Amino acid sequence: MTGFHAFAPATVANVGPGLDILGLALAGRGDVVSAFPGGGGRLVIRASGHPELSSDPGRNTAGIAADGVRKRAGASSMGVVLEIRKGLPLSGGQGGSAASAVAAAFATNALLGSPLSRAELLEPCLDAEEAVSGRHADNVAAALFGGVILIRSVDPLDLVALAFPRDLLVVLAEPDQRVSTGDARSRLPSDVSRGIALSQAANVGALVAALASGDFDLLRRSVDDRIAEPARAGLLPGFPEAKAAALEAGAFGCSISGSGPAVFAFAAGQAMADGIGEAMREAYASRGVRAATRVASVDPAGARLLSSEES
Ligand code: HSE
């Protein structure tokens, strides 16, 4: 019997001020997970997709999510064999662990005859993310649903799909660096002052309004993160210079993508996006850091099944 192949896209978590509560799906690259029958009643990872990723299903986000789907579907004794293909870097700030979890959940659900709805796949993906890097739903929710997602609450899960301008482009800079999400999360302050809390709340509200109305000047002002960015900038040589260069080149806001090292900047129009990308690469180079950039629109669809030819 043939398998089911699912794709889940890269994501930009936080989107500036929305630490753990805003996520955005990027068109283009992502992870692909195939689920096949077999395994003699067990869940087996036949290909982990990267030498540094475990083939132990209990220690791999794809395995944890797939197992959660089996349990929720009442199909724990059904064997599933997974093959993971990583299109996203490890520790790259592009939601790679979330994309693997989401694609695995999607493919496994299809193999089982789609007993769970798309929304019901979120919890097992969140459990998988929690096992490797803390309970935050911004990457998994955006990878699963696509678009721009606000996580109003994690327990219980309550998500809001946000309106966004269709001409919005994201310039993603990928410096030649690695940041473990665990390390980056350990840098976050456990408490913040009232002034910072109010500033973050105001900027998240303004950012939601800017996306809904297409007000790019307001967007630029609202990508202002006083919590994670100052705490993590020290982990990211070249980031302050790249951010300054992006804003100088006209970006409608720039900040760390998730826990880094990737950095995102907003743009409208390919020429503007290309100019921002070039400025960011040059800024990194001035600090001796190699960086690639790519330009992507927002992926409105999120996870999806691929045909055998596409996979
Ligand atoms: N919201 C998470 C964080 C994303 O910033 O730690 C990690 O990819």
Side-chain angles (χ1 to χ4, degrees), residues 14 19-20 133 178-192 225-237 256 258-260:
N14 304 338
L19 176 64
D20 288 358
S133 61
R178 279 176 77 164
V179 172
S180 113
T181 302
D183 284 353
R185 289 185 78 77
S186 71
R187 299 255 172 159
L188 295 174
S190 47
D191 295 297
V192 296
D225 169 24
R226 310 273 171 97
I227 299 178
E229 191 180 301
R232 291 169 167 170
L235 292 171
L236 302 170
I256 303 166
S259 56

Side-chain angles (χ1 to χ4, degrees), residues 20-97:
D20 288 358
I21 63 169
L22 281 175
L24 173 157
L26 284 181
R29 275 181 232 156
D31 287 359
V32 174
V33 177
S34 301
F36 301 91
R42 291 183 309 124
L43 176 67
V44 173
I45 297 181
R46 185 155 63 199
S48 75
H50 193 283
E52 291 176 39
L53 290 175
S54 176
S55 295
D56 175 349
R59 299 177 58 220
N60 182 306
T61 58
I64 297 167
D67 198 33
V69 170
R70 287 198 316 168
K71 288 189 177 119
R72 279 173 177 76
S76 293
S77 59
M78 174 132 171
V80 178
V81 177
L82 297 181
E83 286 181 9
I84 304 160
R85 263 172 300 144
K86 294 292 296 177
L88 300 179
L90 270 50
S91 305
Q94 300 179 45
S97 58

